[in-house]
Amino acid sequence: MPVPILKQGALLIATLQDALTDKDWLDFQFELTKLVGVHRSTGVILDLTVLDVLDSFATKSLRTIAEMVKLRGARAIVVGIHPDVAFTMVQLGLTLHGIETGLDLEDGISLMKHPTEFRSH
Amino acid sequence: MVFKDTMHIGNLEQFEGTDVTPGEISKRKDFLQFRDADIERLLEIRQFSQEHVESIVEEFYHHLLSFPDTKEFFRDPRVLARVKKAQIDYFNQLTAGNYSDDYVRGRLKIGRVHQNIGLSFDTYLGAYRRYLESFFLRLFDAYRSEPEKAVNSFLSMLKLVFLDISLAMDSYLRTIRLQTEAIRELATPVLQVRQGLLISPIIGLIDTQRARQLTESILRSIREQRAKVVVIDITGVPLVDSKVANHLVQTVEAARLMGAMVILTGISPEIAQTLVVLGVNLSTVRTVGDLQGGLEEAERYLGYRLVKDDKATPFQS
Amino acid sequence: MQEIRIPICSDTDIVAARKLGREMGTKLGFSSSELTLIATAISEIARNMVTYAHDGVISFAAVGTTNKRGLLIVAEDKGPGIADLSLALQDGYSTSKSLGLGLPGAKRLMDEFEIDSKPGVGTVIKMIKWNRRQ
């Protein structure tokens, strides 16, 4: 099941679906970085609101995607990580250091407009 | 190893409104040695039991009404008539031969009713003993010629009564568990100060359980209230060990994953020393001396500016 | 509810195993954050299976002693096995391209964790999460 990627002005918004297989992640990674170039996007928001599990593979994929987006010259913000998922990731020792995070899509969009002085560590 | 000691326990669907599962009940019956022979013996005395149930219930309520604490429950004669009838049903079920899920469900429900009206567990126990005495005396009288049969029937009855008591206890234990959880919840408030800004003042010792609770409620509040900053103030915490400190660090990290920032305030000199000596890595945690400083920093981050209106205040600066 | 088994051959099975674990955990009365811990641990071991053994089975069962209940998860495969267990349980160790948090991660998320592996024979992982709310 492919991940829908929407273009919103200079932004790309990707809403990750529940239960992505490993292949879905890889396809998505390729598609997104391609679209950043096609649309000359300045920012990408990765919305994880509906994900109920983010294991080490998914976290690694997410990091890779964010790094690739950055190399393509755009900003990447991850939004909507569920409290339970965030707690589990921390227990696992998974972090997203170097990647900006936001509460939800709305917060992500406003972060894109106003880069804050306190960036991620 | 723990894996050798654990037993598979069948059905996990809990009985409604309880923590008890059918698997648990069958294990309990096993341990009580409640077997098919017991069911047969109880069925054999069914008729006897039905013949005497009314007089037993009369004695039972005579007992309950002769103590002020229990008398209180039956001030209304209509209530008394109703509960007497229910009591007859209850005692009849003991010899009805059906002790499966429906029986268990009924007994658990009665435990909940006792809870709701505030009947204490020792009252329940005392009353049940009173019933057994009345029952026992009549049983031995009726089976004078076959004392062995009387003894065996009574022992079977006792197994069932102990099952009843364990089921009643489940209701009480569940209430205690829920109350403990509620108290814990109260002990870790997470409050909104301004849009996007939460504070969580913690007072008293934090153990692992409470730290976990705190983490959960902070993360949940971030989601629910769309908070960008949470100020955790530990001025009122006398002691922080490495375990709790790690929990705090985890909370900060998890909040960050959700897109929120945590500011930790009120670290006392003693706690600061402990953390340094223990080598706890708080480098990822933003710390500010006191709650006021923390709030100011949070407001700055959120773009709020506080302006003092000299005319409006009676205080002189 | 008796023991439930699910074969793990491809990455779609990982998702199915996670869902099943969640369902079982719900019946056992775990909190939502614990359910997420369980689902993530399942995800890690199932992925390990798909990556290295390509074929295996995960089974779920309710376990307990008189006063506590838990979910037992057993993952069995007839894959190549793990030569150095202590190395595989170290954070950051991986022979593939993952973060190397699979096994140690699952171990950290669960309350009990036991692994038995023989090179050329296969691997058995047993893990339990206890329900704290009892």
Side-chain angles (χ1 to χ4, degrees):
Chain A
M1 182 173 46
V3 177
I5 303 169
L6 303 174
K7 182 180 167 298
Q8 171 84 34
L11 297 181
L12 289 179
I13 297 167
T15 309
L16 284 94
Q17 306 297 307
D18 189 16
L20 288 177
T21 65
D22 299 7
K23 187 176 172 299
D24 292 335
W25 275 105
L26 293 175
D27 291 348
F28 168 58
Q29 185 175 315
F30 178 75
E31 184 67 15
L32 184 68
T33 37
K34 193 184 79 185
L35 285 180
V36 169
V38 172
H39 298 304
R40 307 188 69 233
S41 308
T42 56
V44 171
I45 297 176
L46 300 154
D47 186 358
L48 310 191
T49 308
V50 296
L51 291 196
D52 66 347
V53 167
L54 213 60
D55 61 6
S56 56
F57 177 83
T59 306
K60 181 181 172 258
S61 310
L62 208 56
R63 265 197 225 166
T64 310
I65 291 166
E67 294 298 325
M68 285 169 74
V69 166
K70 273 194 209 165
L71 287 174
R72 302 276 284 160
R75 244 173 105 188
I77 299 183
V78 172
V79 302
I81 295 183
H82 191 276
D84 295 339
V85 174
F87 183 65
T88 304
M89 287 173 74
V90 169
Q91 298 268 300
L92 259 178
L94 299 172
T95 54
L96 291 174
H97 284 307
I99 300 172
E100 282 182 82
T101 50
L103 298 171
D104 46 27
L105 194 54
E106 195 182 336
D107 189 37
I109 292 170
S110 104
L111 282 170
M112 283 289 186
K113 283 184 196 145
H114 312 282
T116 52
E117 50 173 315
F118 298 109
R119 283 285 184 82
S120 51
H121 317 287
Chain B
M1 250 334 264
V2 63
F3 293 96
K4 296 212 179 77
D5 300 334
T6 50
M7 281 166 33
H8 285 232
I9 47 171
N11 196 336
L12 287 179
E13 309 279 358
Q14 287 161 0
F15 287 106
E16 203 191 332
T18 70
D19 294 337
V20 191
T21 64
E24 168 79 29
I25 297 300
S26 56
K27 264 173 65 185
R28 230 179 256 185
K29 283 181 182 165
D30 237 22
F31 197 65
L32 284 167
Q33 301 185 299
F34 186 75
R35 306 197 172 112
D36 287 347
D38 295 299
I39 298 179
E40 276 167 37
R41 277 190 214 113
L42 288 169
L43 269 173
E44 279 168 25
I45 55 167
R46 183 177 185 179
Q47 206 189 339
F48 156 82
S49 169
Q50 283 173 347
E51 280 162 15
H52 292 86
V53 71
E54 280 180 35
S55 70
I56 290 177
V57 165
E58 280 311 315
E59 277 182 28
F60 186 78
Y61 279 95
H62 179 76
H63 180 71
L64 290 179
L65 292 172
S66 51
F67 290 85
D69 284 357
T70 39
K71 192 180 176 183
E72 194 62 28
F73 290 107
F74 312 107
R75 279 180 169 263
D76 186 342
R78 278 169 305 178
V79 169
L80 185 63
R82 204 178 60 225
V83 291
K84 272 187 183 171
K85 210 182 151 292
Q87 201 65 53
I88 288 174
D89 286 343
Y90 184 98
F91 289 144
N92 277 336
Q93 278 164 22
L94 288 170
T95 52
N98 181 1
Y99 312 109
S100 52
D101 290 358
D102 283 337
Y103 180 86
V104 171
R105 224 169 266 129
R107 287 331 198 209
L108 288 167
K109 196 176 157 199
I110 287 160
R112 284 204 298 282
V113 171
H114 288 169
Q115 281 279 286
N116 290 341
I117 61 169
L119 186 96
S120 69
F121 194 63
D122 56 305
T123 305
Y124 167 84
L125 278 181
Y128 222 145
R129 189 218 64 83
R130 178 62 249 197
Y131 163 75
L132 284 176
E133 183 181 318
S134 305
F135 177 81
F136 180 84
L137 292 174
R138 283 171 177 75
L139 186 73
F140 276 75
D141 193 43
Y143 288 91
R144 250 174 322 216
S145 54
E146 310 166 82
E148 199 178 326
K149 188 178 163 70
V151 168
N152 284 332
S153 307
F154 185 72
L155 289 177
S156 295
M157 168 70 78
L158 216 48
K159 294 175 185 177
L160 188 60
V161 167
F162 272 86
L163 178 68
D164 275 11
I165 293 173
S166 81
L167 292 172
M169 205 162 76
D170 282 322
S171 298
Y172 285 92
L173 288 177
R174 182 182 158 88
T175 307
I176 293 170
R177 179 174 71 74
L178 293 177
Q179 282 168 349
T180 315
E181 276 173 18
I183 290 168
R184 228 182 258 133
E185 193 97 23
L186 281 178
T188 49
V190 182
L191 313 161
Q192 176 158 329
V193 185
R194 247 177 263 301
Q195 201 182 340
L197 172 55
L198 302 176
I199 58 166
S200 180
I202 311 174
I203 292 169
L205 275 178
I206 315 176
D207 57 10
T208 316
Q209 182 79 7
R210 194 174 167 206
R212 206 188 157 81
Q213 175 98 28
L214 181 73
T215 307
E216 274 186 33
S217 59
I218 284 179
L219 298 183
R220 217 181 321 127
S221 304
I222 289 173
R223 174 86 150 200
E224 280 163 12
Q225 321 220 27
R226 298 193 73 238
K228 289 298 290 174
V229 187
V230 184
V231 178
I232 302 178
D233 180 65
I234 58 166
T235 311
V237 178
L239 213 89
V240 171
D241 61 11
S242 60
K243 239 179 164 175
V244 171
N246 274 329
H247 241 290
L248 284 171
V249 174
Q250 286 182 351
T251 309
V252 173
E253 297 269 351
R256 205 193 79 72
L257 286 172
M258 295 178 63
M261 180 176 75
V262 172
I263 298 175
L264 191 61
T265 67
I267 299 179
S268 68
E270 292 80 13
I271 290 178
Q273 191 188 23
T274 325
L275 293 179
V276 172
V277 170
L278 286 172
V280 177
N281 182 8
L282 285 174
S283 62
T284 56
V285 182
R286 189 175 286 272
T287 50
V288 175
D290 57 16
L291 181 57
Q292 183 184 344
L295 285 175
E296 283 165 2
E297 168 129 347
E299 283 167 341
R300 244 194 329 274
Y301 173 68
L302 290 168
Y304 290 110
R305 212 168 46 193
L306 206 62
V307 180
K308 187 165 183 289
D309 183 353
D310 281 330
K311 287 182 204 128
T313 164
F315 301 114
Q316 298 294 314
S317 55
Chain C
M1 182 175 81
Q2 295 306 318
E3 189 187 85
I4 296 180
R5 297 161 70 82
I6 179 168
I8 308 288
C9 319
S10 71
D11 56 3
T12 44
D13 296 331
I14 300 177
V15 176
R18 227 151 62 186
K19 279 222 166 84
L20 196 57
R22 241 178 215 282
E23 277 168 30
M24 301 280 289
T26 309
K27 285 183 188 165
L28 270 161
F30 282 103
S31 73
S32 82
S33 68
E34 286 169 323
L35 289 175
T36 306
L37 295 179
I38 293 168
T40 310
I42 293 169
S43 199
E44 299 291 349
I45 57 162
R47 188 176 311 286
N48 247 39
M49 231 175 210
V50 173
T51 312
Y52 299 105
H54 312 295
D55 200 353
V57 173
I58 294 184
S59 61
F60 301 91
V63 290
T65 52
T66 332
N67 37 28
K68 61 177 178 180
R69 263 203 304 268
L71 178 63
L72 168 71
I73 300 166
V74 181
E76 268 174 286
D77 68 58
K78 295 195 167 46
I82 303 165
D84 191 339
L85 276 180
S86 57
L87 198 58
L89 285 170
Q90 249 170 46
D91 274 353
Y93 177 80
S94 170
T95 54
S96 70
K97 321 177 286 275
S98 75
L99 286 175
L101 279 171
L103 291 184
K107 186 179 176 183
R108 207 169 317 152
L109 297 179
M110 302 296 281
D111 296 320
E112 320 281 351
F113 188 92
E114 201 178 74
I115 181 164
D116 188 16
S117 187
K118 288 190 187 69
V121 180
T123 306
V124 180
I125 295 172
K126 290 181 186 175
M127 48 190 203
I128 296 179
K129 187 82 185 166
W130 294 116
N131 189 347
R132 290 164 204 279
R133 299 198 292 180
Q134 288 172 54

